[in-house]
């Protein structure tokens, strides 16, 4: 039995807005084991990004806590890295400089920074592009630089917020496959938010489905199928259908609520 690394313990979070209070998260409890890959799915506005921000320590919860190795999370830390859709790369730096950037604060000597950056660039197959500037790269390559920039810090937990959402399907499939390989090799714990149920079922140890406002856990689907998985495996297909149906119920609720408020 693998050790529990991350405990999300009865976390709630609401936002006060001009249109009243929004219950982003309500009473979310989830234990994540070391090296586990958990995918979070749910309708837009159900609190997935909020949960990642709380785990990253960027937003304090209103109630509950996040516990890492038995210690409550008080703020951001280098062992938890958030990677989001627009990778937030620096256009005035090269690929290599973008990746080494985060290491500067750690006071590592230049040569060691470069060496570590090159190692992770190799992992994401971008070593040949180390001297390119961001505008010279495709969207998929940019996202791989963003992942490399996170990985170079050797985080234990990767918090990925729809990192492939802006990519075309083919590039996306490629990066999903690459992420699977990275996870197999590095065994980081990963919380991965996606709208693609098929992708979630392909990647995850567990898929967590959220309800729409207040964002609660509606159901957790464990996946026992060994990796690498065959995307055409009928048992996966059946689970995809089941999750998509449950998700549709929440998406409908989200739309009705939005139209009612408009
Ligand atoms: N800083 C904020 N101030 C006010 N409201 C916020 C803030 N952050 C999030 N919210 C609201 O909280 C709810 C949950 O937002 P969140 O971004 O976590 O949803 P999400 O599940 O990530 O949605 P999406 O799938 O569209 O990315 C939304 O209604 C959003 O408008
Ligand atoms: Mg979001």
């Amino acid at each position: 039995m693998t050790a529990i690394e991350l405990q999300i313990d009865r976390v709630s979070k609401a936002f006060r807005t001009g249109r009243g209070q929004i219950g982003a998260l309500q009473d979310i409890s989830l234990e994540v084991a070391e090296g586990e890959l958990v995918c979070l799915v749910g309708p837009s506005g159900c609190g997935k990004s909020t949960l990642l921000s709380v785990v990253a320590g960027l937003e304090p919860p209103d109630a509950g806590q996040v516990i890492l190795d038995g210690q409550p999370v008080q703020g951001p830390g280098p062992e938890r890295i958030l990677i989001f859709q627009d990778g937030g790369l620096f256009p005035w730096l090269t690929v290599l400089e973008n990746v080494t950037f985060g290491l500067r604060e750690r006071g590592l000597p230049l040569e060691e920074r470069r060496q570590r950056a090159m190692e992770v660039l190799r992992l994401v197959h971008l070593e040949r592009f180390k001297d390119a500037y961001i505008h010279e790269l495709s969207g998929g390559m940019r996202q791989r630089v963003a992942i490399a920039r996170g990985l170079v810090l050797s985080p234990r937990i990767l918090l990925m917020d729809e990192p492939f959402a802006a990519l075309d399907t083919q590039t996306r499939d490629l990066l999903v496959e690459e992420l699977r390989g990275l996870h197999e090799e590095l065994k980081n714990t990963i919380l991965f938010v996606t709208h693609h149920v098929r992708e979630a079922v392909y990647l995850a140890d567990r898929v967590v489905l959220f309800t729409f406002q207040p964002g609660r856990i509606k159901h957790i689907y464990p996946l026992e199928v060994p990796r690498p998985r065959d995307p055409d495996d009928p048992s996966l297909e059946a689970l995809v259908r089941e999750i998509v149906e449950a998700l549709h119920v929440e998406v409908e609720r989200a739309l009705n609520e939005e139209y009612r408020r408009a």
Side-chain angles (χ1 to χ4, degrees):
M1 180 74 198
T2 329
I4 297 296
E5 181 174 44
L6 182 73
Q7 259 175 293
I8 298 167
D9 178 28
R10 289 166 291 166
V11 162
S12 295
K13 176 96 191 162
F15 292 105
R16 227 173 279 286
T17 70
R19 290 164 179 246
Q21 178 124 326
I22 289 176
L25 299 171
Q26 197 173 79
D27 212 20
I28 302 286
S29 288
L30 184 67
E31 291 189 339
V32 184
E34 208 176 318
E36 195 179 6
L37 200 167
V38 176
C39 287
L40 310 177
V41 299
S44 179
C46 74
K48 304 176 297 291
S49 297
T50 305
L51 184 63
L52 291 197
S53 296
V54 170
V55 174
L58 300 170
E59 290 267 13
D62 296 339
Q65 56 183 345
V66 175
I67 300 169
L68 185 64
D69 291 333
Q71 299 295 321
V73 161
Q74 310 278 11
E79 75 291 341
R80 284 161 287 135
I81 295 289
L82 188 57
I83 297 172
F84 37 96
Q85 194 183 114
D86 125 30
L89 300 169
F90 301 125
W92 60 89
L93 298 180
T94 64
V95 165
L96 184 64
E97 287 164 346
N98 264 282
V99 177
T100 53
F101 188 82
L103 290 174
R104 272 205 281 193
E105 280 179 23
R106 297 204 173 169
L108 290 177
L110 178 68
E111 203 31 54
E112 196 177 332
R113 294 203 300 258
R114 287 178 59 96
Q115 216 176 324
R116 286 184 50 180
M118 285 311 290
E119 271 166 33
V120 291
L121 283 175
R122 244 188 306 278
L123 282 175
V124 297
H125 308 109
L126 278 180
E127 51 199 315
R128 284 195 304 122
F129 293 87
K130 68 176 172 40
D131 296 320
Y133 284 90
I134 303 307
H135 72 268
E136 301 174 86
L137 305 180
S138 69
M141 289 158 109
R142 289 178 201 193
Q143 236 12 51
R144 277 145 70 196
V145 178
I147 291 171
R149 198 176 56 168
L151 287 178
V152 81
L153 301 171
S154 315
R156 290 173 43 194
I157 302 182
L158 286 176
L159 305 165
M160 306 185 84
D161 198 353
E162 301 188 59
F164 309 144
L167 305 176
D168 63 87
T169 323
Q170 276 166 10
T171 311
R172 189 183 179 107
D173 288 349
L174 215 85
L175 286 211
V176 165
E177 195 47 42
E178 206 159 280
L179 178 66
R180 186 192 67 73
L182 281 175
H183 180 244
E184 194 173 293
E185 189 163 340
L186 304 176
K187 304 198 164 45
N188 306 82
T189 305
I190 301 180
L191 292 187
F192 184 90
V193 172
T194 179
H195 277 107
H196 285 233
V197 173
R198 193 171 293 279
E199 182 174 293
V201 165
Y202 180 69
L203 283 173
D205 293 302
R206 284 186 293 164
V207 177
V208 179
L209 173 65
F210 281 74
T211 61
F212 180 71
Q213 292 174 17
R216 293 175 192 260
I217 292 179
K218 178 167 183 168
H219 200 77
I220 299 182
Y221 303 86
L223 275 127
E224 313 270 316
V225 184
R227 300 188 183 91
R229 294 174 182 157
D230 172 5
D232 298 321
D233 180 333
S235 69
L236 292 185
E237 193 55 44
L239 185 62
V240 168
R241 229 172 295 132
E242 187 183 337
I243 300 177
V244 165
E245 270 171 32
L247 176 60
H248 273 168
V249 174
E250 294 306 315
V251 171
E252 291 266 311
R253 277 190 52 216
L255 284 179
N256 286 338
E257 188 62 22
E258 234 171 63
Y259 292 166
R260 195 180 60 75
R261 279 192 207 149

